Amino acid sequence: MTANHTDGVLFIGGEFRAATTTVPVIEAATEEVLGYAGCASESDIDDAVAAAHGPDARAWAAAEPAERAQVLKRYAAALHSRASDTATLVSRENGMPIALSRGVNGVFPAALIGYYAKLVTNSDVEQTRPALIGHTIVRREPVGVVGAITPWNYPQALAVMKLAPALAAGCPVVLKPALETALDSLIFAEAAVEAGLPAGVLSIAPGDAAAGAHLVSHGGVDKVAFTGSTAAGRIIGAACGQLIRPVTLELGGKSAAIVLDDADTEATISGLRSASFANNGQTCHLSSRILVPRSRYDEFVDAIAALARGLIVGDPLDERTEIGPLVSARQREQVLGHIAAGKASGARLVAGGSAPADQDRGWFVAPTVFADVDNASPLAQEEIFGPVLVVIAYRDDAEAIRIANDSQFGLAGTLWSPDVERATEVARAIRTGSIGVNDYQLDIRSPFGGVKASGLGRELGPEGLAAYQVSKSIYRVGEPIAPIQH
């Protein structure tokens, strides 16, 4: 059986199979059926995990890193050849503007797989360390079978942030993507077949919460990697804790953009365009709390409101579009509910606040800005996951730091100032997993992840590879010997 993005198939143990249950995938901009996603059952998950323990998958784990890297390079090439179609499909599924989708869903997966193929080739499997009784061989081995659960907002990018390091480390992966973006997940399967990835090393089983729960608790899974909401992450983390199972959790955020008192207005507003509104606000690391000095508060409120009102809202496949629709009717209703609560709280609405009047179909929300917001309010404390910003005043740098840290989350953030050293000093005081000075862009060579309710563990960089390895110490009496080189 071959894959078709519209016919409700799964990819289990190297083969495509028809799903027993299918659900429609609705195009975000048209509200029309785009295709049908296969919804994995518990028995499908069982088969996928069994395949991950099969002989081909065991051979993958035992292979030399350079051997795996050669397959991964072919995998990267196969994904790259599909990049344009992948980007378009994702934009139709979740409403992401095509200009953004080309990079994060088209180019990024192949680039990250290539990075980890090179990294694992140039890394030592073993190191020899002197010890009191002789020496110790410290060996890095694959953690085992990985259950990866990914969301709909950046479906290709967030999946490959797990697939690339796990596969490079030698770990078979059972990937459970979100049903809203299940169609594009099959591209990973098609490319895997073309690249010659051994059967069982990768299975793709889109599914609902029940399928995810079964994967997390499965006795044949050795590690779980999850990106999604903090609420779901707490449940998954608790299950993994009970099982003494390692877990990586990349969760929600409510990050602060601190505009310092010497900030250039034009440069700051230009940077906030992407740092605060990327992917229609459906981005975990967005700077959605804008902290502005009281001395310049009115100036920046006006400028941020003008930015929101000036963003181009429309068809995500149009090159000019900056804000597309949200992923689903349910997501739009949730965002509009937050906006209604914000209006009722007494915060001052200065832009947006509703669905745009000129969009007669699609799940659009106008870019929205609230001023005079209390940082303790739900509007400032809860992740909205839509194009909604709040502007909060502060007196001095110390209060800005206090407000930024007064959150259950700690995922990201930004600082805005022409004085890079001063901004960096403030950045060091923010309790967060990552922060940008005058910009915010993930770096594939550097770790990404959160603290507090924003998660556990790190993805990307060497740290992302280490998350899929376990260390073994072999204590030996005698003189040190040369480590195994790869």
Side-chain angles (χ1 to χ4, degrees), residues 298-312:
D298 291 341
E299 171 195 353
F300 269 99
V301 166
D302 291 345
I304 295 166
L307 166 64
R309 289 192 293 266
L311 293 170
I312 299 173

Side-chain angles (χ1 to χ4, degrees), residues 216 232-242 245 247 249 456:
V216 167
R234 292 185 193 279
I235 296 170
I236 291 170
C240 289
Q242 184 67 31
R245 177 170 296 169
V247 60
L249 301 173
L456 297 170

Side-chain angles (χ1 to χ4, degrees), residues 356-369:
D358 60 347
Q359 301 294 334
D360 57 0
R361 64 176 184 169
W363 297 304
F364 291 90
V365 172
T368 297
V369 179

Side-chain angles (χ1 to χ4, degrees), residues 33-369:
V33 175
L34 183 59
Y36 290 86
C39 186
S41 65
E42 290 189 1
S43 64
D44 292 321
I45 298 292
D46 292 341
D47 290 347
V49 175
H53 286 276
D56 290 336
R58 291 198 301 272
W60 178 261
E64 295 294 323
E67 182 181 345
R68 291 196 297 267
Q70 289 304 311
V71 180
L72 290 176
K73 289 175 183 177
R74 296 197 300 268
Y75 194 25
L79 289 170
H80 180 74
S81 71
R82 294 163 168 80
S84 179
D85 290 343
T86 302
T88 299
L89 178 58
V90 173
S91 290
R92 296 183 71 187
E93 288 173 311
N94 72 0
M96 180 184 292
I98 188 66
L100 175 62
S101 189
R102 282 201 189 95
V104 298
N105 296 303
V107 175
F108 181 75
L112 193 65
I113 290 173
Y115 166 75
Y116 279 112
K118 182 177 181 180
L119 182 64
V120 76
T121 302
N122 295 330
S123 300
D124 292 335
V125 173
E126 295 184 351
Q127 295 179 339
T128 300
R129 303 177 186 177
L132 291 175
I133 61 170
H135 61 269
T136 301
I137 298 172
V138 180
R139 181 175 171 80
R140 290 185 293 181
E141 298 179 347
V143 71
V145 174
V146 174
I149 302 174
T150 53
W152 45 257
N153 58 326
Y154 288 82
Q156 290 278 310
L158 293 174
V160 83
M161 285 166 67
K162 296 158 184 56
L163 292 179
L167 295 176
C171 300
V173 180
V174 178
L175 173 65
K176 192 209 78 68
L179 289 170
E180 291 89 341
T181 49
L183 304 183
D184 73 84
S185 69
L186 292 176
I187 295 170
F188 283 118
E190 294 174 351
V193 172
E194 180 180 321
L197 201 67
V201 171
L202 174 64
S203 290
I204 311 250
D208 55 16
H214 188 62
L215 179 61
V216 167
S217 63
H218 200 289
V221 169
D222 299 293
K223 175 189 169 70
V224 173
F226 171 75
T227 297
S229 72
T230 295
R234 292 185 193 279
I235 296 170
I236 291 170
C240 289
Q242 184 67 31
L243 294 164
I244 319 296
R245 177 170 296 169
V247 60
T248 298
L249 301 173
E250 200 272 278
L251 308 177
K254 191 73 173 183
S255 301
I258 301 178
V259 180
L260 296 181
D261 56 18
D262 60 355
D264 178 85
T265 306
E266 183 177 350
T268 300
I269 295 302
S270 177
L272 290 177
R273 184 180 296 269
S274 61
S276 296
F277 282 112
N279 196 21
N280 320 326
Q282 298 175 139
T283 304
C284 56
H285 60 66
L286 289 185
S287 294
S288 53
R289 289 184 295 151
I290 315 298
L291 278 51
V292 176
R294 292 188 184 278
S295 61
R296 302 184 65 185
Y297 190 74
D298 291 341
E299 171 195 353
F300 269 99
V301 166
D302 291 345
I304 295 166
L307 166 64
R309 289 192 293 266
L311 293 170
I312 299 173
V313 179
D315 180 359
L317 299 181
D318 188 324
E319 295 286 346
R320 301 167 299 172
T321 294
E322 297 172 285
I323 300 290
L326 301 187
V327 68
S328 65
R330 176 185 177 188
Q331 185 66 18
R332 180 175 66 176
E333 290 310 306
Q334 288 180 343
V335 172
L336 291 175
H338 282 288
I339 292 172
K343 293 176 181 177
S345 73
R348 177 163 56 99
L349 181 68
V350 295
S354 64
D358 60 347
Q359 301 294 334
D360 57 0
R361 64 176 184 169
W363 297 304
F364 291 90
V365 172
T368 297
V369 179

Side-chain angles (χ1 to χ4, degrees), residues 375-464:
N375 190 61
S377 70
L379 197 62
Q381 289 292 319
E382 296 178 2
E383 185 176 40
I384 295 176
F385 227 60
V388 181
L389 307 184
V390 299
V391 188
I392 301 169
Y394 71 85
R395 290 186 303 272
D396 54 24
D397 289 2
E399 186 178 35
I401 292 167
R402 181 189 64 76
I403 293 172
N405 287 335
D406 183 14
S407 170
Q408 66 171 317
F409 299 110
L411 184 60
T414 51
L415 269 296
W416 303 90
S417 168
D419 187 340
V420 173
E421 292 305 317
R422 176 191 173 198
T424 301
E425 281 304 304
V426 175
R428 290 189 174 106
I430 307 303
R431 193 175 177 214
T432 187
S434 61
I435 193 163
V437 175
N438 296 321
D439 195 8
Y440 186 92
Q441 296 289 336
L442 270 65
D443 172 18
I444 66 173
R445 298 172 182 82
S446 304
F448 171 75
V451 298
K452 300 190 284 187
S454 288
L456 297 170
R458 294 294 181 266
E459 298 183 304
L460 302 179
E463 293 83 356

